[in-house]
Amino acid sequence: MTLNTVPPWEDVQNYIDGEWQSPTGDGGRDIVNPATGETLSHVGFSSESDIDTAVEAGQDAFETWSTTAVEERIQPLFELKQLLEAHQDELAEVLVREHGKTRGEASGELRRGIENVEVACGIPSMMQAGHLPNAAPEIDETAVRKPLGVFTAITPFNFPGMIPLWFLPYAVATGNAFILKPSEQDPVVAQRIFELIDQAGFPDGVVQLVHGSVDTVNGLLDHDGIAGASFVGSTPVAKAIYERAAKNGKRVQAQGGAKNHVIVTETANLDFAAQKTVSSALACGGERCLANDNILVEASVYDEFVELVLEEAGSKVVGDGLDDGTDIGALISPEHEERVREFIASGIDEGAELLLDGRDVDVPGYEGGNFLAPTVFGDVDPDMRIAREEIFGPVMGLLPVEGIDEAIDVMNRSDFGNAASLFTGRGSDARKFRHQADVGNVAVNAGTAAPMAFFHFGGRKDSFFGDLHAQGEDMIHFYTDKTIYIERWPDES
Ligand code: NAD
């Protein structure tokens, strides 16, 4: 089996109860290659009746799947891992065409997604909840985790190959049914992953795909047959989804936007810190919730560090993600490119020093693409918009600070708390940072605080609404409810 990587592609389809179906609701949108402007495909939006059909199929499947032996439940996941690996290059190509990032970035995100499939294959051990003989006189107590029904996940455009896999493998491994609603901006890679899911041996209705936009999401959140929802996307939507799902009595976890900080102290290896900082801020064109784009530098090394950052950022090649030489691909849409340009204009208006201007980038042969080259501001003030708000583009700002205390104070005043990195050679700075950072993912001498799949991933403050995060053990808790069995069998002899 080969996946279709060469556009134009057929219209995107729902995968409901083991069948491919066209969405039957109103509305839809074209899927456009961000590097060329070429229309690749079209996605229609799902109707209420599509959602009803999927939820009912999920409920039917749940009846059997939730009581299927756990060893049997993980066999399709082992198969899916093999299929994802065998088709990783094709999936990466599809992802690059519809998203714009580079081939290496696309392949890397798929690898991080596959990691979650691998972790979920360990569910026979991870789902055990505990047993204590003689918990009370003649009484044994056992905790068990039970699946809850049909779950949904609503995912963003920026990691369309990875983020669905933060949820899907754990949902089904624990015995639930699962419905994915991917971003309508780049849904083709999800469709291709479901072409593999179709081959992996899941019973019909266990794993389903519905396409759509706001109405589809609301239809899922309001549906009585949905037990819980996972969301990843922008902060205003995350907050709205958290509130709506909770009001409807559902489990919910909602991961929002970010504004991440890097702190560089005078004892850091500055060359290493500059290289890692630039790659953290600019990877995937800055369209990452882990982009560390607010860089707080100890004043004594500020000028030296700025030079290193400019050299590193200035060397990046902008172009089509399918070209091997490209470091920075296209932004997702012309509207998003315009939004990033407005941020750059606001930085200039508010008095930041524009050290590297990426606005005039020229990518010959790709005049229809949404390109911006790395843009670097110096002398940024923490109150400027570019320092407070999520830009989601290849823009970074440098702020001089007196030392680690001021840096932590500036960082902790942010509305967001997704990730932060410290570069230092001093253990006492590292310890202070670890203890005081009001942030969910904290890295020392590493550019991007991205946990492996066997650890949970999620932020704080406006970056996260809920309590259990994506990935790893948190997902087992999210997808199951615990029951206690108390047994007493007095000796009758
Ligand atoms: P988005 O919020 O626009 O869309 C995310 C999903 O929500 C999509 O599936 C979309 O169809 C749906 N949606 C959009 N508006 C909606 C509404 N009003 N009501 C209901 N559903 C709606 O986000 P995006 O632009 O696709 O993704 C980028 C954002 O995601 C950034 O803010 C980024 O930081 C964030 N993100 C966060 C994490 C994290 O782990 N915290 C990871 C990746 C991306």
Side-chain angles (χ1 to χ4, degrees):
M1 169 193 185
T2 50
L3 298 176
N4 182 359
T5 59
V6 184
W9 294 317
E10 71 287 2
D11 284 5
V12 175
Q13 300 237 293
N14 287 343
Y15 181 73
I16 296 181
D17 205 11
E19 301 286 336
W20 294 104
Q21 303 174 7
S22 297
T24 63
D26 296 331
R29 62 181 282 158
D30 287 341
I31 298 144
V32 177
N33 183 329
T36 62
E38 165 202 14
T39 297
L40 302 171
S41 180
H42 180 84
V43 58
F45 295 164
S46 298
S47 63
E48 230 177 283
S49 132
D50 297 333
I51 295 169
D52 283 342
T53 312
V55 175
E56 279 161 27
Q59 287 175 311
D60 286 349
F62 175 72
E63 293 284 312
T64 313
W65 184 244
S66 57
T67 56
T68 298
V70 66
E71 182 59 16
E72 271 180 55
R73 287 207 306 262
I74 56 173
Q75 297 312 316
L77 287 168
F78 281 113
E79 187 62 31
L80 181 60
K81 168 189 153 63
Q82 309 282 351
L83 286 164
L84 288 166
E85 284 174 341
H87 295 279
Q88 192 169 344
D89 291 347
E90 293 156 84
L91 289 169
E93 184 170 331
V94 170
L95 205 161
V96 172
R97 288 193 197 277
E98 67 172 338
H99 177 283
K101 65 178 66 175
T102 68
R103 212 189 270 271
E105 290 166 344
S107 190
E109 81 159 271
L110 288 160
R111 181 60 230 152
R112 299 307 299 265
I114 295 167
E115 237 177 55
N116 282 276
V117 181
E118 292 167 352
V119 173
C121 286
I123 216 75
S125 302
M126 291 174 80
M127 207 173 156
Q128 294 177 25
H131 173 79
L132 187 62
N134 302 309
E138 294 183 330
I139 285 183
D140 301 338
E141 295 192 3
T142 307
V144 295
R145 291 187 205 285
K146 291 183 166 180
L148 289 159
V150 186
F151 280 82
T152 186
I154 297 127
T155 53
F157 81 82
N158 66 326
F159 284 92
M162 172 183 74
I163 291 179
L165 297 174
W166 285 355
F167 308 105
L168 185 158
Y170 304 99
V172 299
T174 47
N176 296 285
F178 179 83
I179 300 175
L180 174 68
K181 204 304 282 175
S183 170
E184 63 276 39
Q185 296 195 72
D186 48 11
V188 181
V189 73
Q191 160 127 5
R192 296 287 180 268
I193 289 174
F194 269 73
E195 288 169 16
L196 301 178
I197 284 172
D198 188 49
Q199 304 289 310
F202 293 100
D204 292 350
V206 169
V207 200
Q208 302 182 89
L209 174 68
V210 297
H211 293 285
S213 183
V214 179
D215 292 344
T216 317
V217 174
N218 289 339
L220 286 162
L221 296 178
D222 292 346
H223 202 293
D224 288 343
I226 294 284
S230 303
F231 174 84
V232 183
S234 57
T235 289
V237 183
K239 192 159 185 289
I241 287 203
Y242 180 71
E243 289 169 355
R244 191 165 186 140
K247 190 160 166 260
N248 288 335
K250 299 187 191 311
R251 287 193 172 198
V252 55
Q253 50 178 189
Q255 314 220 155
K259 187 74 188 177
N260 304 311
H261 295 76
V262 182
I263 301 173
V264 181
T265 73
E266 61 186 8
T267 56
N269 175 334
L270 295 184
D271 287 316
F272 179 74
Q275 188 202 331
K276 292 294 173 193
T277 300
V278 168
S279 100
S280 170
L282 304 181
C284 301
E287 291 172 325
R288 290 203 307 171
C289 69
L290 287 175
N292 283 332
D293 57 351
N294 255 358
I295 299 114
L296 312 170
V297 189
E298 203 159 358
S300 51
V301 291
Y302 179 78
D303 290 340
E304 189 183 345
F305 192 69
V306 166
E307 285 312 312
L308 291 169
V309 163
L310 290 176
E311 200 180 314
E312 184 72 19
S315 71
K316 299 291 177 198
V317 177
V318 179
D320 183 355
L322 289 176
D323 290 343
D324 287 342
T326 296
D327 298 308
I328 298 182
L331 293 171
I332 186 71
S333 64
E335 297 75 22
H336 185 58
E337 182 195 328
E338 189 48 39
R339 190 170 169 274
V340 178
R341 286 180 182 276
E342 281 165 18
F343 269 112
I344 297 172
S346 87
I348 297 166
D349 288 350
E350 291 190 89
E353 190 186 357
L354 185 58
L355 299 169
L356 186 65
D357 186 352
R359 289 173 298 176
D360 284 337
V361 62
D362 184 25
V363 183
Y366 290 87
E367 284 68 28
N370 319 315
F371 293 106
L372 268 178
T375 297
V376 180
F377 282 106
D379 283 331
V380 173
D381 185 280
D383 290 328
M384 291 175 181
R385 273 190 68 208
I386 53 167
R388 287 184 292 109
E389 297 180 27
E390 182 175 48
I391 300 173
F392 233 51
V395 181
M396 52 200 295
L398 293 132
L399 300 70
V401 288
E402 280 315 310
I404 186 85
D405 292 314
E406 186 189 346
I408 291 175
D409 181 56
V410 168
M411 177 178 78
N412 282 347
R413 274 193 274 134
S414 169
D415 290 340
F416 300 97
N418 208 38
S421 291
L422 168 71
F423 289 93
T424 190
R426 233 174 354 229
S428 57
D429 284 348
R431 184 165 190 275
K432 190 176 274 187
F433 178 69
R434 283 181 54 176
H435 281 263
Q436 295 182 7
D438 192 4
V439 168
N441 303 280
V442 173
V444 174
N445 292 330
T448 304
M452 300 293 284
F454 24 87
F455 285 99
H456 70 262
F457 173 60
R460 290 193 189 153
K461 301 197 270 187
D462 282 358
S463 296
F464 183 71
F465 304 90
D467 47 9
L468 296 167
H469 301 89
Q471 294 198 149
E473 198 182 345
D474 270 23
M475 289 310 319
I476 316 297
H477 290 269
F478 186 73
Y479 285 131
T480 57
D481 216 352
K482 278 190 278 189
T483 305
I484 295 287
Y485 295 144
I486 299 172
E487 289 193 56
R488 181 169 168 273
W489 295 101
D491 191 349
E492 287 165 8
S493 62

